[in-house]
Amino acid sequence: MALARTASQRAVIGPAWPAQALPALVFATLVAAGAELVLLRLISRVGVHIPAAGWARGAYTAAVTLGNLVFPAATVLATGTLLVMGLALLRWWPAAGVVALALPAGQLWLLARGTGAETVALLEALLATALLAVPLLMRGTPRGVRLVLGLTAIGETLALVQAAAANLSAQGAPQLPLALATGGEVVMLLALLLLPVLVPPPAWDRAAVAAGFGGALLVALALAANGSTTRILALWTFGIAMVAPSPLYGLAAGALAATVIAHARGGQPAYAAGLTLIALGGYLPGNSYQATLLLAGTILLAFPGLLALPTSRPPGEG
Amino acid sequence: MKRPRVGVLLAGALTLLGVLAGVLGVPTAASQATTLTAVRVPDQPTLDPDWSLWTKVPGIDVPLTAQQIVYPNGGGTVPSVNLKAVHYNGTLYIRASWQDATQDASTLQTTDFADAVALEFPAKSAVTVPSFCMGQANAGVNIWQWRADAQAGVDQVAVWFPNAYSDTYPTALENDPIYQPARALGNPVALTGGSPVQNLVAQAFGTLERATAQDVQGRGVWKDGRWSVVFARPFAGGAPDQAEFTQGVSTSLAVAVWDGARGDRDGQKSVSQFVTLSLSGAQLRPGAARDWNALWLALLLGGGAVLFGLALLAWLGMTSLGRRRV
């Protein structure tokens, strides 16, 4: 992998434990974030349809209570993972390490300062800067991945800038048109649709193809059964307003599922993990936790060798 | 330490830390939702949407979409609503303004529907942020709904039916509830006088009801194709199913708008997601102005310098690698 090859040529600075710990941390974050998305962002929001009594209410309450515990666990795991990513990158690639560490450091500092509209605008600006910096710092990664990351950064930044302006309205900031956020979503959708071409796995096995068809079919069926509820759930869960024609979202879901499964089964596991983290982070992240997921996924895509870094000094160096 | 153990131990420790934070109620994330800041004003506001200081108060534009979850569904014809908020002496004032080409303030005919706007807050007793669609079982909502027809009153009968005639009733029976069943039953549409704003509570679709205390004041003005409505209520909510406000504390706020000319009523409306309402202790300073052009330029230059610096660091790292190749 590019980063590992480059890393073996650099002087080793710092401890080896971040690289040792990263695979387990990434896995734990994926599990926790997935559980949070299902229990909290999805199940708790359909509470409006749950009857006020009976077994359904009991099951719903249990799921929501579990979700309320999973959320802080996922948040701490995501922040810890990003910090360890930064330390691992700092060892081999200082500039990228600084970017990875800047977001959680900034979030922790701002959280300690207290949350307010200005704080939130600063968080949004910090995330946008970090996302835009990653494609610039990539070295040796395929052009397709760089393009996907560039589109992701641009799409997210458009929405973050519009939201930051709204949060600074108390200071008299001019309001930016909502079309910025709409345009950003279209850019993100384009990145998803092009995933199989831009981030291709070595081979497309039956499982990946089945996942692709399954993902597209699931979205299509959901839209056909109850398009309005599906759109609301998409907004709550992933932050997308589905401004483009509906079939495109089904295709995008299929493209994402197929690419993730293909890389998980025989391609680049870091790509699978990175794409999943980006999806879990969502569009225009609603909180600092989702912003952390987004940046962690972006960094994994940009530096896939993070999950396979050498942990000892390279040969020939004392 | 062996490779797998470090990661597993660290992941386990972080998970436990997160669960502990959740149990103790320690916040682990900051919300990045759009924030409406209610600033403190030096003078007593009025219910007039054209009160002079409103032009100095910055607002936010909140996007609206159609309500598509339950029947009757639809709406979505109003693209956005502008919100401003201030507070004075323990009373919160919120101004909502949106484009509407026609002033629809009559519901005398069965095919007429009135323009309206509603603000929705989590109830004091809510254990979590409720679904913005009328709340949910364990998290109710408090809704303040202003209607144009409630403000216009029922004096339009003579306007629409100028030749109408009714026998006179004996004076003693004029106000007898037996002859006014809607009012006797407390039908809010039939009640006259008081505020044109209804204070409502709900815990999911189909559970909407009038709150015990009707303490929300409001007034709306339609001018040049735009409605502007001001709501006002003291911070303290009496009952647990009411919203409560505290200076320095944030809560959530969602908006719904009905365009009567488009047949909007009930669930057919334009709705927003929750935004954050932050009650700031800072006082509005109408005279203070920030040079935003200079600030945007500084942010652009600063951000550009940071990105350029990082790219330069990366490039220098690459060139030094070439010289130090093993």
Side-chain angles (χ1 to χ4, degrees):
Chain A
M1 287 129 222
L3 181 59
R5 275 202 307 276
T6 307
S8 67
Q9 295 161 345
R10 297 174 66 83
V12 173
I13 42 174
W17 69 263
Q20 294 170 349
L22 212 43
L25 280 176
V26 168
F27 179 74
T29 302
L30 283 168
V31 171
E36 176 271 326
L37 182 136
V38 171
L39 292 172
L40 209 60
R41 274 188 265 172
L42 200 58
I43 290 183
S44 76
R45 297 306 184 100
V46 298
V48 68
H49 297 290
I50 304 295
W55 68 266
R57 171 74 188 276
Y60 167 76
T61 304
V64 170
T65 304
L66 185 59
N68 284 330
L69 287 176
V70 167
F71 175 78
T75 304
V76 174
L77 272 170
T79 303
T81 300
L82 191 57
L83 280 170
V84 171
M85 262 187 209
L87 290 174
L89 274 173
L90 209 57
R91 191 172 187 230
W92 304 109
W93 205 265
V98 165
V99 169
L101 290 173
L103 184 70
Q107 286 173 343
L108 289 171
W109 175 69
L110 289 168
L111 271 176
R113 246 186 70 171
T115 308
E118 282 196 10
T119 306
V120 169
L122 278 172
L123 280 173
E124 287 164 341
L126 191 59
L127 175 63
T129 306
L131 289 175
L132 288 171
V134 168
L136 289 175
L137 298 172
M138 293 163 58
R139 286 297 178 271
T141 47
R143 252 180 221 169
V145 176
R146 189 188 298 270
L147 186 57
V148 165
L149 287 177
L151 288 173
T152 302
I154 291 169
E156 295 277 1
T157 299
L158 287 173
L160 287 167
V161 166
Q162 193 273 329
N167 279 312
L168 292 173
S169 61
Q171 285 74 30
Q175 292 297 282
L176 297 176
L178 295 171
L180 271 181
T182 306
E185 182 178 316
V186 172
V187 172
M188 293 284 292
L189 182 64
L190 183 65
L192 285 174
L193 289 169
L194 295 175
L195 267 182
V197 173
L198 296 177
V199 191
W204 294 96
D205 65 359
R206 275 183 291 190
V209 172
F213 273 114
L217 194 61
L218 185 67
V219 172
L221 284 175
L223 286 168
N226 191 331
S228 51
T229 300
T230 302
R231 286 169 177 275
I232 291 284
L233 288 176
L235 184 64
W236 288 345
T237 317
F238 299 105
I240 52 175
M242 300 190 83
V243 295
S246 304
L248 291 178
Y249 291 92
L251 288 172
L256 176 65
T259 308
V260 166
I261 297 298
H263 277 292
R265 287 174 62 82
Q268 174 58 273
Y271 286 165
L275 288 172
T276 307
L277 286 174
I278 289 174
L280 290 169
Y283 180 62
L284 184 53
N287 50 56
S288 55
Y289 149 69
Q290 284 176 255
T292 306
L293 290 177
L294 187 60
L295 186 60
T298 301
I299 287 177
L300 268 183
L301 270 188
F303 301 98
L306 268 175
L307 295 186
L309 280 172
T311 56
S312 57
R313 290 181 179 275
E317 292 198 1
Chain B
M1 217 179 239
K2 287 184 182 167
R3 182 183 172 124
R5 205 181 285 177
V6 173
V8 172
L9 282 179
L10 194 53
L14 289 174
T15 303
L16 281 173
L17 184 65
V19 171
L20 190 62
V23 168
L24 295 175
V26 175
T28 52
S31 167
Q32 302 193 170
T34 303
T35 301
L36 171 67
T37 303
V39 292
R40 192 162 51 92
V41 288
D43 305 321
Q44 164 99 46
T46 68
L47 292 178
D48 182 6
D50 294 327
W51 176 59
S52 58
L53 274 188
W54 280 121
T55 56
K56 305 285 191 285
V57 176
I60 60 170
D61 289 320
V62 179
L64 304 175
T65 58
Q67 190 285 113
Q68 300 283 22
I69 294 208
V70 293
Y71 291 114
N73 63 327
T77 56
V78 181
S80 67
V81 60
N82 180 269
L83 295 178
K84 297 184 178 185
V86 299
H87 63 92
Y88 175 85
N89 205 21
T91 297
L92 174 66
Y93 297 80
I94 298 178
R95 182 182 187 273
S97 176
W98 69 99
Q99 280 185 323
D100 188 340
T102 57
Q103 181 184 8
D104 305 293
S106 168
T107 48
L108 281 179
Q109 301 183 92
T110 56
T111 51
D112 291 343
F113 303 99
D115 296 330
V117 61
L119 305 180
E120 179 186 75
F121 309 91
K124 195 163 52 174
S125 60
V127 299
T128 180
V129 176
S131 163
F132 68 90
C133 299
M134 306 300 286
Q136 60 199 55
N138 61 350
V141 290
N142 180 202
I143 296 170
W144 307 346
Q145 189 196 34
W146 172 92
R147 291 172 54 130
D149 58 343
Q151 179 166 302
V154 295
D155 295 333
Q156 304 164 67
V157 173
V159 173
W160 286 97
F161 306 102
N163 299 320
Y165 173 81
S166 64
D167 294 331
T168 57
Y169 287 93
T171 310
L173 299 174
E174 256 181 11
N175 293 317
D176 192 333
I178 200 167
Y179 296 106
Q180 300 168 344
R183 287 182 185 165
L185 288 170
N187 185 327
V189 181
L191 294 172
T192 56
S195 168
V197 178
Q198 286 189 68
N199 192 17
L200 307 161
V201 294
Q203 277 197 318
F205 292 116
T207 66
L208 187 70
E209 59 182 6
R210 212 164 132 87
T212 310
Q214 293 297 312
D215 53 355
V216 183
Q217 301 296 312
R219 182 166 173 267
V221 169
W222 183 86
K223 188 162 65 177
D224 299 330
R226 196 167 186 89
W227 273 111
S228 300
V229 177
V230 173
F231 296 83
R233 203 209 75 177
F235 279 5
D241 59 4
Q242 301 290 293
E244 186 162 86
F245 309 103
T246 308
Q247 182 175 297
V249 177
S250 296
T251 184
S252 301
L253 160 69
V255 186
V257 172
W258 290 260
D259 183 352
R262 303 292 184 118
D264 286 351
R265 72 277 191 192
D266 197 351
Q268 183 178 327
K269 56 192 174 182
S270 302
V271 297
S272 80
Q273 279 266 28
F274 273 126
V275 299
T276 300
L277 171 64
S278 171
L279 277 75
S280 167
Q283 179 149 313
L284 177 72
R285 287 175 294 167
R290 185 173 289 190
D291 186 349
W292 279 100
N293 286 334
L295 187 63
W296 285 127
L297 189 62
L299 282 172
L300 268 172
L301 287 176
V306 165
L307 290 174
F308 177 75
L310 288 172
L312 187 63
L313 270 174
W315 181 75
L316 286 173
M318 277 300 297
T319 53
S320 73
L321 269 174
R323 288 191 291 272
R324 295 171 58 203
R325 193 176 294 274
V326 173

